[in-house]
Structure formats: structure tokens, C-alpha cells
Amino acid sequence: MPDKKRTVRVPIGPQHPALKEPESFMVDLQGEKISSVALRLGYNHRGIEKGCEERTYMQDLFLLERVCGICSHSHATAFIQAVEEIAGLEIPRRAKYIRMLIAELERIHSHLLWLGVAGHEIGFDTLLMYSWRDRELVMDLFAELTGNRVNYAMNTLGGVRRDIAPEQFPHIQKIVDALEERTKYYIELAMTEETLAQRLSGVGYLSKEDAIRLGAVGPTSRASGADRDTRRDDPYAAYDELDFKVITDDHCDVFGRTVVRLGELMQTYSMIRQILKQMPEGPIAVKAPLKIPAGEAVSRYEAPRGEDVHYVRANGTDKPERVKVRAPTLANTQSVAKMLEDGYLADLPIVVAAIDPCFSCTDRTIAVRGDRDSKTMGWEELVQYGVRWYRDRGVDPSRIKVRGDESA
Amino acid sequence: MSEAEALVAQLVATFPALTGRVTIQRAKRVWIDVDRQAFPEVFRRLAKDLGFEVFCMITGLDEGADLGLIYHLARNDGLMANVKTRCPKGESMQTITSIFPGGGIYERELIDLLGAHIEGLPEGSRYPLPDNWPKDEHPLLKDWKPREKGAKDA
């Protein structure tokens, strides 16, 4: 029994150094050990659901893409699937394949990002540098395929907005091959590197019963042995035409969550190869009405962090009556308190990071603040600005060659 | 008989009042329309006996005099049951946290955004609105409009 007199209450957050997003933890400590945790969420509430009711379906598509910087395609697809179901639209098979391709590339970028953050939280910054360097490959590929590194805007009502040319396939293939090699290295690292296993094993324990009871989703639940994946159980797009395994693990701790995500990456590479091989010919979108007939639908989507659930009710106009969004982090935060109980305070950052809570991403152009005529910077200009910024502070990135920079 | 048809048969056999109120939208989507009085029993049966152990979310709807509530449940085989019920505004619903302890956050969302009353919800901080948000303002109600920029608090 916890001794109430000797309990120390430590408020952590909403602003804190370990996590990039605001969340507040009221932690009760008995010595070094956590006896209970109370969470307060909602600091990032932006009223998007209300906003959706006041905008058209097409505007909502782009608004919902901004629910999350990393899972942007996930939310946009989950929403548009529901609208298409209400409208009775059957989208072309090629559009389904392009949606899956972007979805699986997004999973690579999310899981590699997570691996880096996890490395960072346990003081293994080399892993962060490695995995984020590798992640650049897929980010640049996104820029090539969609025109943007995040918020790809590939979806439209009735299909996708951009086609992928067959000439682009070999390049996608090459990047997938390179990332597969790297992931094999990370798997070997996870399986053989003693410090990693010792630091992660037994940390943030969540039993299978608790994972199910508390509604954990995605890799968090699969690492506790729950054999669930919406792509297999309730297939959308054309996932029923792909051959893949659902990765589960019974370690039930942060180590298990690492193993599951790395295993999922290997499945994703195989799925992308199948998508490229089986990509059907044909149109990429069908004509869609602006007004959606009255009706309702629920769409489920396996985002990198777990299941996205979107509910849409239409009332016959061009604006929805109601849009409800459930992002996977909300489902997973319910288990965090359980994972932290009886653990050490020092494990808090990695345990919280292990559910992969949603972080924001930067865009590639920035607006200069403090200047009345704010201007935007192109990519080259931004790189030069970054190099100059460090040089002014005494760091000389002389190995980086920047076109048009005479001061080097 | 498909999974969805089997579920309809099971439900109607136990709850004759549900005859004609369980619809199959497509292979993996079943909608169940249930009165508020019968809701706890139907919900418990789905969760405990019929394998709907995945609690997805609750959708709250402003339907004029009533709050529409849809409890989205799923089974491991992917079948989804959407249980719809209505609660007159000002009256309360029983909490589902005795069955799904993780469901509390979705109920708190209904309280903050739609002004729902939930009975038996364990104590905890509000979600998702800030602590100083007025108690009687619920943004997802259809008659709620954001205040003009710069307007003073009433």
C-alpha cells in the first residue's frame, strides 16, 4: 500500500522538455517509483469538428489533413472514404492503389521518425541521427511524388488528384530497397545490442488484458499481443488484394513496441513492391457531386500509430451535418497511466514516447515573422538561411556546399 | 449466413424489441437503433457476450430536443456495431466506464462539447476545453457560434 505521507506529487507539463506537444501529467511518487498518474489533455484542441460543419466537403478534406502533420494522408483518407460511402461513389482501382502507396510510404516515415525519437529519449542519439537521416529518403520521395514533404493533398472526392507515372516506379523501388537494407540493420541492432534491450525491456509494461480493456490501438496493442489490424480485419482501399502479415509481439513493453514497428516496416516494403507490381491501369478519379445525399457512414483506417475512426453524417447539402474524428493517440493515452504505474520516474519520457504520440512537422517554406511584408522562402533559400544562421554563431558547416553562396 | 446476419439474428432473439431496428449497411457495418431504457442491457450484451471488445468512440449529435449518441464498437473479425440511442437534453446517460474503463475520455468530450450529463463517471479533469471555459457553453451544439474576434466576455 502506498504510504500517503511519503508521496510526492510532481506536476510535469503541459510544457516540458521531453515531449514536443503539450500534455500534463500529475505524477505521484513513492521514492523513485510512480504510484499513480493523472493526465490532462486538450491543450491542442482546435475546434476542427465544428469547423468542418461550416465548410464544404472539399474544404474539410484539406482541413482534416491538418489534424496531424505525420498522419495527414491517414485522416484525409479516413474522412473521404466515409463521404464516398454515403455518396455511393466507387473510386477507380488505380486511385485505391495510389492511396495505399502514399499510406504505406507514410507508415515508413512515421515509424522511422518514432525510432529516432525513441533513441533520443533513452540517450541513444546516434540512433536518432541514423534513422532521421534515412527518413529523409522517404520525405524527399514524397516531395517528388506529391509536391510536398507533409500534407500531400493526394485525395479528392472520388479518387486521387495526382497520378504516379510508370517512370517514377524504379526510383520508388530504389528507395524502398535502400530503406529495407537500413531497417534490417536496425532489426539486428534491436536484437543484439545489449544496452538497447536492457534499457527497453520491462519498461512501460501493458498486459494484453489491459491493452484490450483500455482500448489501446495500433503497434501499442499489437506489442501486447492483440492480433488486430484494420487493413486485414476491415479492409479498405485494396488491402484485400495485398499479401501481408500482421506483426504482433508478446513482450508487452517498450522493447516489444520497437520490435513490432520494425517488423511492420519490413511488411510495408513488401506491400509497396506488390502495389507497384499490381498497379492497375485506368483513370484516377470519378466525377463526384458537390452536394452529398443525406446519410451516415463510419470509416476505419489503420494509421501508423493505430486506428483512425471517422464518422460523417450528411444532410443533402454541400456541408456535412457532423464530422467526428478519433485519432489513435486519444485511444492510446488511456493506457499510458497504466504503463507508468510502478515504473521509475526516469522512464516516463520513453514510456510516453513509445505510444508514438502525435508530433507536428514543419513545412518547407516559412514566413518571416516581424516583417510587415512577410515573405516565403524556397527550399534553396531556406537551406542557405540555415547554413548562414549556424555560421554566424561560429559553426562552420564547410562540408555543405550551397549553390550561389559566395561567402564560403 | 454472413457474420452481420448472424449478429442481427442473435440480437433480435434476445431483444424482440429490436426487430426491424437492426440494419446491415454493408458486410462489416451493422447499425442498432435502441431506446435509452434498453441501451445498457444491449450494450453490455454486445461487449460481454457477442465479442465486441474493441471500443472505438462515441459520436454525439445535436438533434434538436435530443442528443443523439452513437457508440461505435468493433469485433476482432472487423465487424463494427454502431449502437444509436437518443437522450433528451438535460437528462442523463449511464457511464460505460464499468465495461470500458478507457471510455471515460469520450464521455467527458460529450459533456464539454455537447452538454451531455453522464451518471457515474469517475472524478477527473475536464476534456477537451480549458479549465476557465464557461460551464454553460458547448461549442458543438448547433446554436453555438464563436464570439466575434475581440469581443469582451459577457
Side-chain angles (χ1 to χ4, degrees):
Chain A
M1 274 300 284
D3 179 356
K4 279 217 165 125
K5 276 186 193 156
R6 302 179 73 180
T7 298
V8 177
R9 175 164 288 189
V10 185
I12 302 179
Q15 314 296 343
H16 40 92
L19 302 167
K20 311 295 179 284
E21 278 184 324
E23 236 183 333
S24 160
F25 300 86
M26 202 56 86
V27 184
D28 281 351
L29 284 176
Q30 296 268 326
E32 287 289 315
K33 282 205 162 180
I34 297 172
S35 55
S36 74
V37 182
L39 261 88
R40 169 75 164 101
L41 304 165
Y43 298 97
N44 261 349
H45 185 69
R46 290 159 287 170
I48 287 183
E49 290 177 12
K50 182 81 175 176
C52 283
E53 294 174 11
E54 288 153 13
R55 288 170 176 79
T56 65
Y57 287 97
M58 281 310 284
Q59 289 173 321
D60 288 344
L61 179 60
F62 296 100
L63 178 60
L64 286 164
E65 189 157 20
R66 280 147 185 85
V67 165
C68 172
I70 314 275
C71 313
S72 59
H73 181 73
S74 307
H75 282 284
T77 310
F79 168 71
I80 211 70
Q81 282 180 168
V83 181
E84 283 162 356
E85 187 178 338
I86 299 170
L89 288 173
E90 180 58 41
I91 72 164
R93 272 187 73 222
R94 190 175 177 85
K96 289 183 178 175
Y97 269 77
I98 294 175
R99 277 185 188 175
M100 286 198 298
L101 176 66
I102 301 298
E104 292 310 311
L105 288 173
E106 187 172 76
R107 198 175 314 277
I108 300 178
H109 124 57
S110 178
H111 280 8
L112 284 177
L113 178 125
W114 178 84
L115 187 66
V117 172
H120 174 70
E121 299 296 2
I122 59 171
F124 191 178
D125 277 319
T126 317
L127 184 59
L128 164 76
M129 300 297 174
Y130 272 28
S131 68
W132 281 36
R133 180 196 63 188
D134 297 341
R135 179 173 163 268
E136 280 303 300
L137 289 174
V138 72
M139 301 303 286
D140 286 346
L141 182 61
F142 268 128
E144 274 182 54
L145 297 178
T146 72
N148 222 355
R149 284 158 61 92
V150 290
N151 296 339
Y152 329 107
M154 281 301 265
N155 285 315
T156 188
L157 191 51
V160 291
R161 292 175 60 234
R162 272 196 187 83
D163 203 355
I164 299 199
E167 301 82 69
Q168 290 175 303
F169 286 12
H171 185 54
I172 302 173
Q173 185 76 55
K174 211 176 106 192
I175 287 185
V176 167
D177 290 345
L179 288 171
E180 189 174 46
E181 277 312 303
R182 296 300 298 161
T183 307
K184 280 183 187 158
Y185 169 72
Y186 295 132
I187 291 176
E188 197 198 326
L189 183 85
M191 295 303 173
T192 55
E193 173 65 39
E194 214 174 307
T195 49
L196 204 64
Q198 283 191 0
R199 182 67 187 85
L200 302 180
S201 292
V203 173
Y205 188 82
L206 182 74
S207 69
K208 184 178 177 181
E209 292 70 36
D210 282 335
I212 292 171
R213 208 170 53 90
L214 296 168
V217 292
T220 306
S221 71
R222 289 193 282 274
S224 285
D227 186 13
R228 288 178 188 161
D229 191 317
T230 312
R231 291 174 293 173
R232 180 198 61 195
D233 304 334
D234 186 3
Y236 50 92
Y239 277 105
D240 48 352
E241 295 173 19
L242 299 185
D243 179 31
F244 63 98
K245 277 202 299 249
V246 173
I247 308 290
T248 58
D249 190 84
D250 48 15
H251 280 89
C252 306
D253 53 13
V254 181
F255 182 73
R257 280 157 224 153
T258 313
V259 171
V260 165
R261 287 196 178 90
L262 288 171
E264 283 186 12
L265 279 174
M266 295 304 285
Q267 291 298 314
T268 289
Y269 302 136
S270 138
M271 285 156 94
I272 292 176
R273 288 202 187 94
Q274 294 173 49
I275 292 169
L276 294 180
K277 209 167 149 196
Q278 300 170 19
M279 178 85 76
E281 294 293 326
I284 56 165
V286 291
K287 203 167 159 35
L290 287 174
K291 288 183 179 169
I292 303 297
E296 58 189 344
V298 193
S299 160
R300 301 168 75 194
Y301 179 106
E302 189 70 31
R305 302 177 159 93
E307 190 185 54
D308 274 349
V309 187
H310 281 227
Y311 166 87
V312 179
R313 177 180 279 189
N315 54 12
T317 66
D318 61 346
K319 297 185 179 101
E321 176 78 12
R322 176 86 169 94
V323 177
K324 168 89 188 110
V325 178
R326 201 290 310 270
T329 299
L330 186 65
N332 279 333
T333 43
Q334 308 308 307
S335 334
V336 167
K338 185 78 205 164
M339 293 178 194
L340 290 169
E341 260 171 43
D342 286 331
Y344 290 102
L345 179 65
D347 291 339
L348 187 134
I350 181 62
V351 171
V352 176
I355 68 157
D356 197 3
C358 204
F359 294 171
S360 348
C361 253
T362 61
D363 206 321
R364 73 194 222 175
T365 61
I366 61 163
V368 182
R369 282 195 287 182
D371 181 358
R372 193 160 290 183
D373 311 307
S374 74
K375 66 167 197 165
T376 49
M377 281 187 185
W379 179 243
E380 273 308 316
E381 220 180 324
L382 185 64
V383 172
Q384 285 185 25
Y385 173 81
V387 171
R388 250 179 263 121
W389 191 90
Y390 278 105
R391 201 170 278 154
D392 292 348
R393 283 156 184 80
V395 183
D396 182 20
S398 54
R399 284 173 59 207
I400 303 171
K401 292 221 161 41
V402 182
R403 257 175 286 159
D405 188 353
E406 308 304 329
S407 62
Chain B
M1 193 190 268
S2 72
E3 297 154 354
E5 285 164 348
L7 174 69
V8 177
Q10 278 169 318
L11 277 172
V12 172
T14 332
F15 305 101
L18 287 180
T19 312
R21 297 176 73 178
V22 187
T23 44
I24 302 173
Q25 189 180 23
R26 61 177 162 97
K28 300 274 188 189
R29 294 285 181 283
V30 175
W31 294 79
I32 303 159
D33 188 12
V34 55
D35 293 331
R36 186 159 66 108
Q37 286 70 26
F39 172 80
E41 219 19 67
V42 174
F43 189 77
R44 174 169 288 277
R45 175 132 175 86
L46 283 165
K48 294 284 181 197
D49 307 326
L50 297 174
F52 286 89
E53 58 174 29
V54 186
F55 175 69
C56 296
M57 62 171 181
I58 311 172
T59 301
L61 298 137
D62 182 0
E63 295 181 342
D66 294 336
L67 282 185
L69 300 164
I70 310 175
Y71 293 73
H72 306 273
L73 296 175
R75 220 157 60 176
N76 280 335
D77 61 6
L79 186 63
M80 194 175 196
N82 303 292
V83 192
K84 265 166 111 168
T85 188
R86 273 156 301 275
C87 175
K89 283 179 184 168
E91 293 193 28
S92 60
M93 286 293 292
Q94 277 291 324
T95 177
I96 54 152
T97 47
S98 57
I99 302 171
F100 294 105
I105 195 94
Y106 304 94
E107 296 185 323
R108 289 184 206 285
E109 211 176 317
L110 292 175
I111 297 172
D112 261 18
L113 299 180
L114 284 154
H117 298 271
I118 308 287
E119 228 169 80
L121 190 61
E123 268 184 48
S125 54
R126 68 186 296 177
Y127 174 77
L129 297 174
D131 290 332
N132 60 355
W133 186 269
K135 279 229 153 44
D136 53 346
E137 286 202 28
H138 307 290
L140 274 185
L141 292 177
K142 288 286 175 188
D143 57 7
W144 188 91
K145 293 273 174 290
R147 254 173 261 171
E148 286 295 311
K149 214 175 172 186
K152 289 260 165 32
D153 283 342

